[in-house]
Amino acid sequence: MGNKYKYGISHLAVAPVTIVDGVYTYGTLTLWPGAVAITLSPKGNIEPFEADNRDYVVIDKSEGYDCEVETAYVPDEIAELILAMTEDSKMVATEYAGRIYPQFALLGQFQGDVHNRRFALMDCVVSARPEIAAKTAKSGTPETVKVKFAARPRISDNLVKMHTKSTTDATVYNNWFTAVQEPAA
């Protein structure tokens, strides 16, 4: 039996992407703790082609998703992987204008009432630098950070996203966060 609802986000992880001659290779996963929320807004549309006085065929013009992750904090390792932050010789984080943001895969898990759905966005890139804000608060309630990025179709095969189902092979499900999975033949 499948889920009736989902109620949370956890287990965010990022893997750097390298593309050589159209072949995608994913690096080691780095955990991104502190997930608060994630939004995946579809980009593109579905266009019907009319013939025979009806919608003859419907064409998917999907361009992936415009995404936003809200998190408790952006750890240094994640900032280096997705925000092109670097360190100088004295271990000071540096941000330069004009950088090209690196591509990455984003993995995570939606909590479900029966089954936790694991997902992977296969080709992502930051689309806006996160805002930096802080305020004095006696309560100690943490401020959150929102990172906006685009999840695009892969150039090689148009793959945008994968997710597990309640019937997913147990080995694939259990190894989801050890390496970025590729579709089986």
Side-chain angles (χ1 to χ4, degrees), residues 1 4 8 11 26 44 50 77 89 94 107 149 158 160 168-169 173 178:
M1 178 172 180
K4 293 181 183 174
H11 293 81
Y26 297 93
E50 296 178 4
E77 301 84 25
S89 63
T94 57
L107 284 68
F149 62 98
N158 284 330
V160 176
T168 295
D169 177 84
Y173 186 85
T178 60

mmCIF file with all atom_site columns, all heavy atoms in Angstrom, residues 1 4 8 11 26 44 50 77 89 94 107 149 158 160 168-169 173 178:
data_model
loop_
_atom_site.group_PDB
_atom_site.id
_atom_site.type_symbol
_atom_site.label_atom_id
_atom_site.label_alt_id
_atom_site.label_comp_id
_atom_site.label_asym_id
_atom_site.label_entity_id
_atom_site.label_seq_id
_atom_site.pdbx_PDB_ins_code
_atom_site.Cartn_x
_atom_site.Cartn_y
_atom_site.Cartn_z
_atom_site.occupancy
_atom_site.B_iso_or_equiv
_atom_site.pdbx_formal_charge
_atom_site.auth_seq_id
_atom_site.auth_comp_id
_atom_site.auth_asym_id
_atom_site.auth_atom_id
_atom_site.pdbx_PDB_model_num
ATOM 1   N N   . MET A 1 1   ? 0.834  -1.188 0.000   1.00 0.00 ? 1   MET A N   1
ATOM 2   C CA  . MET A 1 1   ? 0.000  0.000  0.000   1.00 0.00 ? 1   MET A CA  1
ATOM 3   C C   . MET A 1 1   ? 0.873  1.245  0.000   1.00 0.00 ? 1   MET A C   1
ATOM 4   O O   . MET A 1 1   ? 1.887  1.293  0.678   1.00 0.00 ? 1   MET A O   1
ATOM 5   C CB  . MET A 1 1   ? -0.910 -0.007 1.221   1.00 0.00 ? 1   MET A CB  1
ATOM 6   C CG  . MET A 1 1   ? -1.780 1.206  1.328   1.00 0.00 ? 1   MET A CG  1
ATOM 7   S SD  . MET A 1 1   ? -2.957 0.964  2.655   1.00 0.00 ? 1   MET A SD  1
ATOM 8   C CE  . MET A 1 1   ? -3.796 2.480  2.551   1.00 0.00 ? 1   MET A CE  1
ATOM 9   N N   . LYS A 1 4   ? -0.746 7.903  1.869   1.00 0.00 ? 4   LYS A N   1
ATOM 10  C CA  . LYS A 1 4   ? -1.928 8.750  1.738   1.00 0.00 ? 4   LYS A CA  1
ATOM 11  C C   . LYS A 1 4   ? -1.539 10.214 1.858   1.00 0.00 ? 4   LYS A C   1
ATOM 12  O O   . LYS A 1 4   ? -2.274 11.075 1.425   1.00 0.00 ? 4   LYS A O   1
ATOM 13  C CB  . LYS A 1 4   ? -2.957 8.396  2.810   1.00 0.00 ? 4   LYS A CB  1
ATOM 14  C CG  . LYS A 1 4   ? -3.549 7.016  2.629   1.00 0.00 ? 4   LYS A CG  1
ATOM 15  C CD  . LYS A 1 4   ? -4.578 6.731  3.697   1.00 0.00 ? 4   LYS A CD  1
ATOM 16  C CE  . LYS A 1 4   ? -5.107 5.321  3.527   1.00 0.00 ? 4   LYS A CE  1
ATOM 17  N NZ  . LYS A 1 4   ? -6.004 4.945  4.609   1.00 0.00 ? 4   LYS A NZ  1
ATOM 18  N N   . GLY A 1 8   ? 6.922  15.689 5.872   1.00 0.00 ? 8   GLY A N   1
ATOM 19  C CA  . GLY A 1 8   ? 8.192  16.269 6.282   1.00 0.00 ? 8   GLY A CA  1
ATOM 20  C C   . GLY A 1 8   ? 9.285  16.047 5.258   1.00 0.00 ? 8   GLY A C   1
ATOM 21  O O   . GLY A 1 8   ? 9.139  15.265 4.329   1.00 0.00 ? 8   GLY A O   1
ATOM 22  N N   . HIS A 1 11  ? 17.046 14.277 5.309   1.00 0.00 ? 11  HIS A N   1
ATOM 23  C CA  . HIS A 1 11  ? 18.124 13.588 4.594   1.00 0.00 ? 11  HIS A CA  1
ATOM 24  C C   . HIS A 1 11  ? 18.582 14.310 3.329   1.00 0.00 ? 11  HIS A C   1
ATOM 25  O O   . HIS A 1 11  ? 18.932 13.665 2.339   1.00 0.00 ? 11  HIS A O   1
ATOM 26  C CB  . HIS A 1 11  ? 17.708 12.157 4.238   1.00 0.00 ? 11  HIS A CB  1
ATOM 27  C CG  . HIS A 1 11  ? 17.534 11.260 5.414   1.00 0.00 ? 11  HIS A CG  1
ATOM 28  N ND1 . HIS A 1 11  ? 16.384 11.266 6.172   1.00 0.00 ? 11  HIS A ND1 1
ATOM 29  C CD2 . HIS A 1 11  ? 18.346 10.341 5.965   1.00 0.00 ? 11  HIS A CD2 1
ATOM 30  C CE1 . HIS A 1 11  ? 16.498 10.385 7.126   1.00 0.00 ? 11  HIS A CE1 1
ATOM 31  N NE2 . HIS A 1 11  ? 17.677 9.802  7.035   1.00 0.00 ? 11  HIS A NE2 1
ATOM 32  N N   . TYR A 1 26  ? 28.600 11.520 -11.013 1.00 0.00 ? 26  TYR A N   1
ATOM 33  C CA  . TYR A 1 26  ? 28.251 12.144 -9.743  1.00 0.00 ? 26  TYR A CA  1
ATOM 34  C C   . TYR A 1 26  ? 29.323 11.844 -8.704  1.00 0.00 ? 26  TYR A C   1
ATOM 35  O O   . TYR A 1 26  ? 29.750 10.698 -8.546  1.00 0.00 ? 26  TYR A O   1
ATOM 36  C CB  . TYR A 1 26  ? 26.888 11.643 -9.264  1.00 0.00 ? 26  TYR A CB  1
ATOM 37  C CG  . TYR A 1 26  ? 25.784 12.031 -10.218 1.00 0.00 ? 26  TYR A CG  1
ATOM 38  C CD1 . TYR A 1 26  ? 25.379 11.175 -11.231 1.00 0.00 ? 26  TYR A CD1 1
ATOM 39  C CD2 . TYR A 1 26  ? 25.190 13.278 -10.132 1.00 0.00 ? 26  TYR A CD2 1
ATOM 40  C CE1 . TYR A 1 26  ? 24.386 11.547 -12.125 1.00 0.00 ? 26  TYR A CE1 1
ATOM 41  C CE2 . TYR A 1 26  ? 24.193 13.657 -11.019 1.00 0.00 ? 26  TYR A CE2 1
ATOM 42  C CZ  . TYR A 1 26  ? 23.801 12.788 -12.015 1.00 0.00 ? 26  TYR A CZ  1
ATOM 43  O OH  . TYR A 1 26  ? 22.824 13.162 -12.897 1.00 0.00 ? 26  TYR A OH  1
ATOM 44  N N   . GLY A 1 44  ? 8.019  25.333 -17.313 1.00 0.00 ? 44  GLY A N   1
ATOM 45  C CA  . GLY A 1 44  ? 7.580  24.854 -18.617 1.00 0.00 ? 44  GLY A CA  1
ATOM 46  C C   . GLY A 1 44  ? 6.096  24.556 -18.570 1.00 0.00 ? 44  GLY A C   1
ATOM 47  O O   . GLY A 1 44  ? 5.430  24.784 -17.568 1.00 0.00 ? 44  GLY A O   1
ATOM 48  N N   . GLU A 1 50  ? -3.723 20.501 -31.740 1.00 0.00 ? 50  GLU A N   1
ATOM 49  C CA  . GLU A 1 50  ? -5.095 20.193 -32.126 1.00 0.00 ? 50  GLU A CA  1
ATOM 50  C C   . GLU A 1 50  ? -5.169 19.665 -33.552 1.00 0.00 ? 50  GLU A C   1
ATOM 51  O O   . GLU A 1 50  ? -4.570 20.233 -34.478 1.00 0.00 ? 50  GLU A O   1
ATOM 52  C CB  . GLU A 1 50  ? -5.974 21.430 -31.978 1.00 0.00 ? 50  GLU A CB  1
ATOM 53  C CG  . GLU A 1 50  ? -6.084 21.888 -30.535 1.00 0.00 ? 50  GLU A CG  1
ATOM 54  C CD  . GLU A 1 50  ? -6.909 23.145 -30.371 1.00 0.00 ? 50  GLU A CD  1
ATOM 55  O OE1 . GLU A 1 50  ? -7.478 23.639 -31.356 1.00 0.00 ? 50  GLU A OE1 1
ATOM 56  O OE2 . GLU A 1 50  ? -6.978 23.642 -29.234 1.00 0.00 ? 50  GLU A OE2 1
ATOM 57  N N   . GLU A 1 77  ? 30.734 23.132 3.738   1.00 0.00 ? 77  GLU A N   1
ATOM 58  C CA  . GLU A 1 77  ? 30.933 22.134 2.684   1.00 0.00 ? 77  GLU A CA  1
ATOM 59  C C   . GLU A 1 77  ? 29.905 22.302 1.562   1.00 0.00 ? 77  GLU A C   1
ATOM 60  O O   . GLU A 1 77  ? 30.218 22.153 0.384   1.00 0.00 ? 77  GLU A O   1
ATOM 61  C CB  . GLU A 1 77  ? 30.822 20.707 3.246   1.00 0.00 ? 77  GLU A CB  1
ATOM 62  C CG  . GLU A 1 77  ? 31.802 20.381 4.345   1.00 0.00 ? 77  GLU A CG  1
ATOM 63  C CD  . GLU A 1 77  ? 31.321 20.842 5.727   1.00 0.00 ? 77  GLU A CD  1
ATOM 64  O OE1 . GLU A 1 77  ? 30.107 20.977 5.973   1.00 0.00 ? 77  GLU A OE1 1
ATOM 65  O OE2 . GLU A 1 77  ? 32.191 21.084 6.573   1.00 0.00 ? 77  GLU A OE2 1
ATOM 66  N N   . SER A 1 89  ? 44.238 31.202 1.752   1.00 0.00 ? 89  SER A N   1
ATOM 67  C CA  . SER A 1 89  ? 45.298 30.464 2.434   1.00 0.00 ? 89  SER A CA  1
ATOM 68  C C   . SER A 1 89  ? 45.190 30.519 3.954   1.00 0.00 ? 89  SER A C   1
ATOM 69  O O   . SER A 1 89  ? 45.798 29.718 4.654   1.00 0.00 ? 89  SER A O   1
ATOM 70  C CB  . SER A 1 89  ? 46.668 30.979 1.988   1.00 0.00 ? 89  SER A CB  1
ATOM 71  O OG  . SER A 1 89  ? 46.818 32.339 2.354   1.00 0.00 ? 89  SER A OG  1
ATOM 72  N N   . THR A 1 94  ? 35.641 32.930 0.928   1.00 0.00 ? 94  THR A N   1
ATOM 73  C CA  . THR A 1 94  ? 35.642 34.054 -0.009  1.00 0.00 ? 94  THR A CA  1
ATOM 74  C C   . THR A 1 94  ? 34.573 33.851 -1.079  1.00 0.00 ? 94  THR A C   1
ATOM 75  O O   . THR A 1 94  ? 34.340 32.738 -1.539  1.00 0.00 ? 94  THR A O   1
ATOM 76  C CB  . THR A 1 94  ? 37.017 34.211 -0.688  1.00 0.00 ? 94  THR A CB  1
ATOM 77  O OG1 . THR A 1 94  ? 37.358 32.984 -1.350  1.00 0.00 ? 94  THR A OG1 1
ATOM 78  C CG2 . THR A 1 94  ? 38.094 34.538 0.331   1.00 0.00 ? 94  THR A CG2 1
ATOM 79  N N   . LEU A 1 107 ? 19.570 15.207 -3.322  1.00 0.00 ? 107 LEU A N   1
ATOM 80  C CA  . LEU A 1 107 ? 18.784 14.068 -2.869  1.00 0.00 ? 107 LEU A CA  1
ATOM 81  C C   . LEU A 1 107 ? 18.110 14.415 -1.558  1.00 0.00 ? 107 LEU A C   1
ATOM 82  O O   . LEU A 1 107 ? 18.583 15.289 -0.824  1.00 0.00 ? 107 LEU A O   1
ATOM 83  C CB  . LEU A 1 107 ? 19.674 12.839 -2.666  1.00 0.00 ? 107 LEU A CB  1
ATOM 84  C CG  . LEU A 1 107 ? 20.126 12.100 -3.917  1.00 0.00 ? 107 LEU A CG  1
ATOM 85  C CD1 . LEU A 1 107 ? 21.085 12.923 -4.739  1.00 0.00 ? 107 LEU A CD1 1
ATOM 86  C CD2 . LEU A 1 107 ? 20.739 10.775 -3.560  1.00 0.00 ? 107 LEU A CD2 1
ATOM 87  N N   . PHE A 1 149 ? 17.318 27.318 -6.573  1.00 0.00 ? 149 PHE A N   1
ATOM 88  C CA  . PHE A 1 149 ? 18.082 26.649 -7.619  1.00 0.00 ? 149 PHE A CA  1
ATOM 89  C C   . PHE A 1 149 ? 17.135 26.102 -8.678  1.00 0.00 ? 149 PHE A C   1
ATOM 90  O O   . PHE A 1 149 ? 15.929 26.007 -8.471  1.00 0.00 ? 149 PHE A O   1
ATOM 91  C CB  . PHE A 1 149 ? 18.962 25.535 -7.037  1.00 0.00 ? 149 PHE A CB  1
ATOM 92  C CG  . PHE A 1 149 ? 18.201 24.425 -6.359  1.00 0.00 ? 149 PHE A CG  1
ATOM 93  C CD1 . PHE A 1 149 ? 17.920 23.251 -7.036  1.00 0.00 ? 149 PHE A CD1 1
ATOM 94  C CD2 . PHE A 1 149 ? 17.777 24.546 -5.045  1.00 0.00 ? 149 PHE A CD2 1
ATOM 95  C CE1 . PHE A 1 149 ? 17.225 22.226 -6.418  1.00 0.00 ? 149 PHE A CE1 1
ATOM 96  C CE2 . PHE A 1 149 ? 17.090 23.529 -4.419  1.00 0.00 ? 149 PHE A CE2 1
ATOM 97  C CZ  . PHE A 1 149 ? 16.809 22.363 -5.108  1.00 0.00 ? 149 PHE A CZ  1
ATOM 98  N N   . ASN A 1 158 ? 17.414 13.965 -20.916 1.00 0.00 ? 158 ASN A N   1
ATOM 99  C CA  . ASN A 1 158 ? 16.269 14.741 -20.414 1.00 0.00 ? 158 ASN A CA  1
ATOM 100 C C   . ASN A 1 158 ? 15.756 14.293 -19.046 1.00 0.00 ? 158 ASN A C   1
ATOM 101 O O   . ASN A 1 158 ? 14.684 14.712 -18.625 1.00 0.00 ? 158 ASN A O   1
ATOM 102 C CB  . ASN A 1 158 ? 15.111 14.760 -21.418 1.00 0.00 ? 158 ASN A CB  1
ATOM 103 C CG  . ASN A 1 158 ? 15.380 15.686 -22.568 1.00 0.00 ? 158 ASN A CG  1
ATOM 104 O OD1 . ASN A 1 158 ? 16.085 16.684 -22.421 1.00 0.00 ? 158 ASN A OD1 1
ATOM 105 N ND2 . ASN A 1 158 ? 14.838 15.376 -23.731 1.00 0.00 ? 158 ASN A ND2 1
ATOM 106 N N   . VAL A 1 160 ? 15.106 14.466 -15.311 1.00 0.00 ? 160 VAL A N   1
ATOM 107 C CA  . VAL A 1 160 ? 15.056 15.563 -14.346 1.00 0.00 ? 160 VAL A CA  1
ATOM 108 C C   . VAL A 1 160 ? 15.078 15.031 -12.909 1.00 0.00 ? 160 VAL A C   1
ATOM 109 O O   . VAL A 1 160 ? 15.858 15.483 -12.085 1.00 0.00 ? 160 VAL A O   1
ATOM 110 C CB  . VAL A 1 160 ? 13.783 16.424 -14.530 1.00 0.00 ? 160 VAL A CB  1
ATOM 111 C CG1 . VAL A 1 160 ? 13.693 17.514 -13.464 1.00 0.00 ? 160 VAL A CG1 1
ATOM 112 C CG2 . VAL A 1 160 ? 13.728 17.016 -15.914 1.00 0.00 ? 160 VAL A CG2 1
ATOM 113 N N   . THR A 1 168 ? 9.731  -0.126 -4.697  1.00 0.00 ? 168 THR A N   1
ATOM 114 C CA  . THR A 1 168 ? 11.121 -0.023 -5.163  1.00 0.00 ? 168 THR A CA  1
ATOM 115 C C   . THR A 1 168 ? 11.961 -1.146 -4.560  1.00 0.00 ? 168 THR A C   1
ATOM 116 O O   . THR A 1 168 ? 11.803 -1.493 -3.388  1.00 0.00 ? 168 THR A O   1
ATOM 117 C CB  . THR A 1 168 ? 11.708 1.351  -4.783  1.00 0.00 ? 168 THR A CB  1
ATOM 118 O OG1 . THR A 1 168 ? 10.995 2.359  -5.486  1.00 0.00 ? 168 THR A OG1 1
ATOM 119 C CG2 . THR A 1 168 ? 13.184 1.457  -5.132  1.00 0.00 ? 168 THR A CG2 1
ATOM 120 N N   . ASP A 1 169 ? 12.860 -1.695 -5.374  1.00 0.00 ? 169 ASP A N   1
ATOM 121 C CA  . ASP A 1 169 ? 13.788 -2.729 -4.937  1.00 0.00 ? 169 ASP A CA  1
ATOM 122 C C   . ASP A 1 169 ? 14.463 -2.303 -3.632  1.00 0.00 ? 169 ASP A C   1
ATOM 123 O O   . ASP A 1 169 ? 14.948 -1.166 -3.519  1.00 0.00 ? 169 ASP A O   1
ATOM 124 C CB  . ASP A 1 169 ? 14.822 -2.943 -6.048  1.00 0.00 ? 169 ASP A CB  1
ATOM 125 C CG  . ASP A 1 169 ? 15.873 -3.953 -5.665  1.00 0.00 ? 169 ASP A CG  1
ATOM 126 O OD1 . ASP A 1 169 ? 15.609 -5.151 -5.842  1.00 0.00 ? 169 ASP A OD1 1
ATOM 127 O OD2 . ASP A 1 169 ? 16.944 -3.528 -5.175  1.00 0.00 ? 169 ASP A OD2 1
ATOM 128 N N   . TYR A 1 173 ? 16.577 1.148  -2.609  1.00 0.00 ? 173 TYR A N   1
ATOM 129 C CA  . TYR A 1 173 ? 16.059 2.025  -1.556  1.00 0.00 ? 173 TYR A CA  1
ATOM 130 C C   . TYR A 1 173 ? 17.088 2.203  -0.440  1.00 0.00 ? 173 TYR A C   1
ATOM 131 O O   . TYR A 1 173 ? 17.371 3.320  -0.008  1.00 0.00 ? 173 TYR A O   1
ATOM 132 C CB  . TYR A 1 173 ? 14.750 1.456  -0.991  1.00 0.00 ? 173 TYR A CB  1
ATOM 133 C CG  . TYR A 1 173 ? 14.087 2.373  0.001   1.00 0.00 ? 173 TYR A CG  1
ATOM 134 C CD1 . TYR A 1 173 ? 13.254 3.391  -0.431  1.00 0.00 ? 173 TYR A CD1 1
ATOM 135 C CD2 . TYR A 1 173 ? 14.310 2.233  1.365   1.00 0.00 ? 173 TYR A CD2 1
ATOM 136 C CE1 . TYR A 1 173 ? 12.653 4.253  0.476   1.00 0.00 ? 173 TYR A CE1 1
ATOM 137 C CE2 . TYR A 1 173 ? 13.716 3.088  2.280   1.00 0.00 ? 173 TYR A CE2 1
ATOM 138 C CZ  . TYR A 1 173 ? 12.886 4.096  1.827   1.00 0.00 ? 173 TYR A CZ  1
ATOM 139 O OH  . TYR A 1 173 ? 12.296 4.948  2.718   1.00 0.00 ? 173 TYR A OH  1
ATOM 140 N N   . THR A 1 178 ? 23.916 6.462  -0.531  1.00 0.00 ? 178 THR A N   1
ATOM 141 C CA  . THR A 1 178 ? 25.340 6.116  -0.620  1.00 0.00 ? 178 THR A CA  1
ATOM 142 C C   . THR A 1 178 ? 25.955 6.639  -1.920  1.00 0.00 ? 178 THR A C   1
ATOM 143 O O   . THR A 1 178 ? 27.149 6.902  -1.971  1.00 0.00 ? 178 THR A O   1
ATOM 144 C CB  . THR A 1 178 ? 25.562 4.594  -0.515  1.00 0.00 ? 178 THR A CB  1
ATOM 145 O OG1 . THR A 1 178 ? 24.868 3.950  -1.586  1.00 0.00 ? 178 THR A OG1 1
ATOM 146 C CG2 . THR A 1 178 ? 25.073 4.064  0.820   1.00 0.00 ? 178 THR A CG2 1
#
